[in-house]
Amino acid sequence: IPALATERRLAQRLREHLEEEQLLDGRYQLQQVPGGCVALPVLEEKLSQLCLPLEMPCELVWIQQDPVPSRASRWRAPAQKLRDELRRLLGRSWLEELERDVPHTWQRHGDLVLLSEDSFRAALWESLGPALWETVASALGARRVARRGRVLPDGMRTPSVTLLLGQDGWVEHVDNGIRYTFDVTKCMFSPGNITEKLRVASLPCSGEVLVDLYAGIGYFTLPFLVHAGAAFVHACEWNVHAVEALCRALALNGVQDRCRIHHGDSRQLELRDTADRVNLGLLPSSEEGWPVACRVLKKDTGGVLHIHHNVETRPAPPLLLPAEWGSPEAQHPVEDSVKETVGTRIRPEWQRWAEATAMRIQRLLVELHGRPWHTRVLHIEAVKSYAPHVHHLVLDLKCQPALP
């Protein structure tokens, strides 16, 4: 199917449906193919059971080149190699209870692998010294090894990461053609925001001035600059380590001349009447930034706010199957201005939160400027499930002063 950002999300929903029907080949992942399309790997022996939905521009294709292995497949071989190497290293000391200490998955950032906090906790591992981490690095094809701990409750989500092999925690991560860089011992990288970063990259921001109130290492600042065509971004961040990472990433991507970093508490930002668009990417709520966002919007023309929030949701009804997409009975009665997340219902709790937020922002704008303003819900985006029955949502809210 076509590989635009919205279609990629739709492809993911279709993949989930095909997985339920046990038609997908789990050894391979979604893959871009010539013609700007995305291919879903279907088991050859089950092609006769495949029924493609008429509502989607799908077709069967044969991928001539080697298909791309799934993440699970890519991990399986190194994970087994790691276990084999550890058994050889320990010899007779290998015990079955050590198995639970050996990681099944890990994060990879260039030549550094970041292990989970529950990896290699048994006392026997510590007795191996540097030989253990050299074995881990060799088996996983890395040169540096680090282990993640609990995130510190310091308001900056500072990671507790121990560098086990290597002298430097700086890594580079390429995502959607954008180069991010950060020190894994001082900054976190959140891979779960990829769909929102893709969506931000596709927004029509040419010529616009944007304020990113919680810039971090540049999760959204960089897509706005590199792909969305923003003319200028004011990036606000109070973590000195994230500021350093963002400075480096701006230079890596050649956009440093179109960004100014404001180091400090964004609630104290002195900008006024500046932005065509404001990004409020803070969880669980960006509510403390709403007054600032209203102040920095252009007072004569207004603009768009992208408001992130965790919204609690009742257990969801059954997922829409592809055959139901587009059918009248599958549409939840919401305002025409609100676009549905592809393959996902706009749930009542989401709609109520969006409408309540729009009203509160409107009141803030009226109090600030002393004249009427209008707010309009443009879009509600479900980024991910943050916890059981809690969804990370983004509200795109249009804000404009009323005409005299």
Side-chain angles (χ1 to χ4, degrees), residues 204-213 221 224-225 228-236 257-260 262 269 271-279 293 296-298 301-306:
C205 301
S206 179
E208 293 185 351
V209 175
L210 184 132
V211 173
D212 190 355
L213 284 180
T221 295
F224 274 120
L225 286 167
F232 198 87
V233 172
H234 293 274
C236 308
D257 294 337
R258 292 160 48 212
C259 183
R260 177 186 172 190
H262 300 262
L269 186 65
L271 289 178
R272 300 286 191 279
D273 186 24
T274 299
D276 300 290
R277 195 178 295 264
V278 183
N279 193 63
V296 300
L297 276 181
K298 290 183 176 177
T301 56
V304 175
L305 305 183
H306 301 287

Side-chain angles (χ1 to χ4, degrees), residues 5 32 69 103 114 198 320 333 379:
Q32 286 201 353
L114 182 59
L198 287 170
L320 294 178
H379 179 77

Side-chain angles (χ1 to χ4, degrees), residues 3-9 176 178 194-206 208 220 222-230 277 306 339 379 381 396:
L4 298 175
T6 53
E7 280 80 3
R8 285 182 66 84
R9 292 194 294 273
N176 192 27
I178 297 172
I194 180 61
T195 58
E196 181 61 9
K197 286 186 283 187
L198 287 170
R199 191 178 77 93
V200 160
S202 68
L203 292 174
C205 301
S206 179
E208 293 185 351
F220 302 113
L222 291 168
F224 274 120
L225 286 167
V226 175
H227 293 310
R277 195 178 295 264
H306 301 287
K339 304 176 183 177
H379 179 77
E381 180 75 10
D396 295 351

Side-chain angles (χ1 to χ4, degrees), residues 167-193:
Q167 302 299 320
D168 184 2
W170 280 93
V171 298
E172 186 173 316
H173 186 96
V174 180
D175 197 357
N176 192 27
I178 297 172
R179 297 170 67 187
Y180 298 87
T181 185
F182 58 100
D183 186 337
V184 295
T185 66
K186 295 181 172 65
C187 297
M188 292 183 62
F189 185 85
S190 177
N193 291 332

